[in-house]
Amino acid sequence: MRPHTSRGGRHWDGSPRHLPHRRTLRIAADSPSRLLRAAQTGRCRHCGNRIDRYERFDGRLIDLHPAEVVTTDVSATCRWHLSSGIAYPHDDGSGWCRIPHTVLCPQQRTSHSDTGSPRLASLRRELGLRTRCLIDTGTFTPQASPNTEAADGDHG
């Protein structure tokens, strides 16, 4: 029995040896379709966790936590809902809402960090553990806080 050698640019199973370079989708800021610009994912520069970036009703951007949470766990000032790819800062009457990432970010202290339900505290801890894993594996390097940089500059 002879082994089959691959010919050309294909593996033995017919899959290509070299995949074409993937291009990222770029949408112009003035695109009439907001749905194409909605939910641009990224990483928080403070903790390295995933965020979804949406355009707000006033044209600015907001970073929201990727998952929805129960509205009873979130204060009314932190509830956001999405409609046609636009984020609105109030309750839409459903039992679920989205919340700003800054409320849950383990590296940021906001006025909302100490308040909230046990479920939000649990989510904050999960994000903190994920941040620690990202740091330990070397996939995320936290930025030095402004207070740390100022303290280092005073001593040197």
Side-chain angles (χ1 to χ4, degrees), residues 17-126:
R17 281 196 184 276
H18 302 286
L19 295 175
H21 178 68
R22 289 189 169 180
R23 297 184 314 163
T24 57
L25 178 65
R26 295 178 194 262
I27 305 296
D30 59 348
S31 171
S33 176
R34 292 180 175 161
L35 291 177
L36 290 176
R37 291 192 319 254
Q40 300 293 319
T41 59
R43 298 271 175 195
C44 175
R45 64 179 182 193
H46 301 290
C47 68
N49 288 298
R50 195 180 128 219
I51 54 175
D52 288 344
R53 187 164 286 129
Y54 286 93
E55 185 176 341
R56 293 172 26 151
F57 64 99
D58 58 2
R60 298 185 325 184
L61 296 176
I62 185 167
D63 296 331
L64 297 177
H65 183 67
E68 292 183 322
V69 294
V70 179
T71 55
T72 56
D73 291 341
V74 181
S75 67
T77 58
C78 295
R79 294 177 188 167
W80 287 77
H81 80 276
L82 303 173
S83 177
S84 299
I86 303 294
Y88 293 93
H90 52 79
D91 193 6
D92 66 345
S94 70
W96 301 89
C97 67
R98 301 286 297 267
I99 56 176
H101 176 73
T102 54
V103 174
L104 294 176
C105 185
Q107 300 298 324
Q108 295 184 29
R109 290 286 179 209
T110 63
S111 60
H112 304 291
S113 294
D114 298 326
T115 61
S117 70
R119 176 67 184 136
L120 291 183
S122 174
L123 274 173
R124 195 174 297 115
R125 277 192 303 275
E126 288 175 24

